Amino acid sequence: MFNYLKNFIIAFLVVLAVYQTNKLWFENFSSHNFFYTVLHDSLGERQSAEIKSEVLYAAAGSGNGKFFLSYETEKINDIKQAALKAAAAALNKGEKSDYSEEAFKDIIENRCIVITFGFLMTADDFYSLCGGSGAEVKDFDSIVLGDDSSGVLKVVFFNSDTLEGTAFDLKHYSDTDIIKGLIDETEPETGGIYYISSVASGYDVFKGNEFIPAWSGEMYFYTAAKTDPLENNGDEATAADKFASSYFESPVLKWTSIDDGIYTFSDESTVVKLYPEGVMEYSSYARSTAVKTASLGEKLLAAESFLDNEPNLKNEYFLRGYKTEDGRTVFYFDLKINGYVLELSAEMKEKTGLESFIEVTVDGSSVSKCKRYLRDYSTTIKEPVYTEKSFLEVIDRGLNELQGETIESLRLEYLENGGEGTPLCYYALIDGREYTETAF
């Protein structure tokens, strides 16, 4: 009996030592660790939500009806930050001016910058995320900056579906020359893709204003490659365990089970599930001391901090949308590679139960759940490609196939359809239904 008790005490002390060692190791490296955000209710090194994660794309008009997207991260960030700063200034000290569809056409037919979000924003949303105060604006999903013949900078908060907007004149703005310089510097590569406004071009088949991709001769293009992070890491069970361990403060103490192909790893406060469909679901049940009521900006900051510390996320992400219910906010993030958006196909959304690649639930100012599709994406060698396929042909085929009447959106995106490749496709929503067609 004495030997049994002695062995039990020794075993207990060994486990306790391992636990304390693990805990100290994680705390010492907490500024780089996933749990710095999740378990300690900290927002890491971030001080505010980064608006770059919300922007779907930034376009600069050349003055001839064409818009160009820059794929240089630094330049894109410069454009967005300058535009958002001007928008906040317009709300603080700008003068409201008359807005009409014709006035909007005048702006976008000249040299301008357009920042397009992936969702509608209210004035309060914008104040929470970007600053500004006082002025009332209609709900918007785009911000347009241009100048009139007198050189006054105009800022329009624009709803691309309804074509409604709220316009401001920003006179004597100190950064007007910076914005003009950014437009001048945004030049397309020889050939390649440019965009035209459906409103300015008179394409009434589109629901609102859509920036339509068009070709200009030869185009250089990176094909996309993808890998499953759970493959090529030994046997499946070992790979799953290794992947899940990074989500636990003390991985050696987690419990493991498998049922119907679903791996479940858990301890007293955390559960990680890996589904056969390629979905990871993280849930935190830790007792949180975080703020129970938070602004949208604070919630987005918590979600972004979580993803910044997520050890297995390899690709650039951006916010596609969000919804709030019963105090909880779910943020929907998609991915980008080579400046293009990655989209889950309708079939993959149904198969995985996901609306976007990443879904983060924030309760108060603390992340309680994260679900995401587990694939890593990269680009291959840049090669020249040619295509005779125009967007007009694509929308004609889409309207005929779906017997549709109205095109809600048309974009060029990499499409995750569950197959071996990830092709660049025309991705259209026609009367609420998806239509896709490869770009080449």
Side-chain angles (χ1 to χ4, degrees), residues 171-333:
K171 299 178 179 178
H172 313 299
Y173 182 56
S174 59
D175 288 350
T176 297
D177 289 340
I178 292 176
I179 291 174
K180 291 181 179 179
L182 288 170
I183 297 173
D184 292 338
E185 292 171 6
T186 305
E187 296 294 340
E189 296 180 5
T190 302
I193 297 174
Y194 62 91
Y195 295 77
I196 59 176
S197 162
S198 60
V199 167
S201 302
Y203 290 111
D204 296 334
V205 70
F206 287 88
K207 180 181 178 180
N209 184 67
E210 184 75 7
F211 287 102
I212 308 167
W215 306 105
S216 178
E218 182 182 87
M219 172 188 168
Y220 284 87
F221 172 67
Y222 293 91
T223 55
K226 64 181 175 183
T227 56
D228 182 345
L230 298 185
E231 291 182 351
N232 301 319
N233 287 311
D235 65 273
E236 183 178 83
T238 301
D241 183 85
K242 181 178 180 181
F243 184 92
S245 290
S246 56
Y247 294 91
F248 291 87
E249 189 174 15
S250 297
V252 295
L253 299 182
K254 70 181 186 300
W255 309 305
T256 304
S257 66
I258 181 171
D259 185 30
D260 291 333
I262 302 172
Y263 287 89
T264 301
F265 306 89
S266 59
D267 62 14
E268 68 278 0
S269 61
T270 302
V271 177
V272 175
K273 292 187 176 184
L274 300 175
Y275 294 89
E277 295 80 8
V279 175
M280 183 278 290
E281 181 180 58
Y282 163 91
S283 301
S284 173
Y285 301 98
R287 191 170 185 177
S288 174
T289 59
V291 178
K292 294 303 179 185
T293 58
S295 68
L296 178 65
E298 291 168 332
K299 290 181 177 182
L300 178 59
L301 173 57
E304 289 181 335
S305 298
F306 181 96
L307 294 180
D308 285 349
N309 287 279
E310 220 278 20
N312 300 305
L313 181 59
K314 309 299 182 185
N315 292 106
E316 178 187 0
Y317 64 87
F318 71 98
L319 184 63
R320 205 35 151 339
Y322 62 91
K323 67 178 180 182
T324 298
E325 186 175 350
D326 297 330
R328 293 182 176 87
T329 299
V330 182
F331 293 99
Y332 298 91
F333 296 93

